[in-house]
């Protein structure tokens, strides 16, 4: 493996990522290496690590099959090194990197992900990305009860929640009026029942008005983050579902600690996420130093 890796640090509404270009597909971005890069004290630091690699060089056949539609694969890992199928904020930062580097020059293009091909377009200063199709985790239970899961927060009675898949798994909590959003303790992972087999991201949502919610998120493989793009989509979908108005072409503003995202609900379970993307630093990682463990 190369001893030095170039990287770019970026963020979308303060959900931050380390992008590692691997233009010839030679880098073995293992879970321990990704976790070391994402480490905020001994590494570069980020909520996730994104390898930028030609789609045809991906190890997964299902990803390589996307090569006729998308030249570049967003190989996403969480800060703990685990793989994720999708990252909404990451898609915009990935798109900004591809354009800055001249790897894509059009205003609209597609990117390959573990959740399939996603279409990106320039949208003002930022990007809009189609993240659909979404689906409810347990549609029959959700249609009958309005909820299909319970989430335990703090020492309070469990809260009703809805499971939404946006390529990756989400559980959205409808926080009752009596509980302040800022007061919820997200220093540890909320317990979700039934326990999701592959884990879940948990969004806690407070409606602010028509088409407008405030949200905090505990991300699978990370902890509390300042934003989550797929989580914002899940929050808008769940809130619309509870209001009985899905698939209406509505636009939602989702306020997160790191800023504001816009979510458009489209027909046929489509959903589009729009927001900023910033590339803030470039550098070089010394792999030997990064992986050297301090002696006690
Ligand atoms: N922050 C991302 C989601 C990243 C992956 C997530 N933690 C998971 O494991 O599914 C976003 O903006 O969507």
């Amino acid at each position: 493996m190369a001893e030095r890796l170039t990287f770019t640090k970026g963020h979308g509404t303060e959900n931050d990522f380390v992008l590692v270009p691997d233009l010839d597909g030679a880098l073995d971005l293992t879970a321990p290496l990704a976790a070391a890069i994402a480490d905020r004290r001994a590494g570069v630091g980020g909520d996730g690590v994104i390898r930028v690699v030609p789609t045809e060089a991906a190890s997964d056949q299902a990803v390589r099959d996307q090569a006729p539609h998308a030249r570049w694969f967003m190989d996403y890992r969480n800060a703990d090194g685990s793989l994720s199928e999708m990252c909404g904020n990451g898609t915009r930062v990935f798109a900004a990197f591809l354009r800055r580097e001249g790897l894509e020059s059009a205003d609209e293009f597609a990117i390959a992900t573990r959740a399939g091909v996603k279409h990106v377009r320039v949208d003002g200063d930022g990007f809009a990305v189609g993240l659909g199709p979404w689906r409810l985790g347990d549609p029959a239970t959700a249609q009958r009860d309005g909820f299909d899961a319970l989430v335990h927060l703090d020492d309070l009675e469990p809260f009703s929640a809805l499971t939404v898949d946006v390529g990756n798994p989400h559980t959205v909590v409808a926080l009752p009026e009596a509980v302040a959003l800022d007061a919820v303790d997200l220093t540890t992972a909320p317990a979700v029942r039934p326990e999701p087999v592959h884990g879940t991201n948990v969004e806690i949502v407070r409606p602010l008005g028509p088409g407008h919610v405030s949200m905090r998120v505990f991300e699978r493989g990370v902890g509390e983050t300042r934003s989550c793009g797929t989580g914002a989509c899940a929050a808008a979908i769940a809130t619309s579902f509870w209001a009985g108005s899905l698939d209406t072409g509505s636009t939602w503003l989702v306020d997160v600690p790191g800023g504001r995202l816009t979510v458009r609900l489209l027909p046929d379970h489509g959903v589009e996420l729009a927001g900023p993307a910033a590339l803030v630093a470039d550098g070089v990682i010394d792999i030997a130093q990064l992986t050297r463990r301090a002696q006690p």
Side-chain angles (χ1 to χ4, degrees), residues 15 17 47 76 78 82-90 168-170 201 219-222 225 227-231 273:
N15 198 191
F17 313 105
D47 295 327
Y76 187 87
N78 285 312
S82 60
L83 292 175
S84 179
E85 306 84 344
M86 174 44 62
C87 176
N89 289 328
N168 57 349
H170 296 270
N201 302 284
E219 280 194 42
R220 177 179 68 165
V222 191
T225 62
S227 179
C228 177
T230 48
L273 171 74

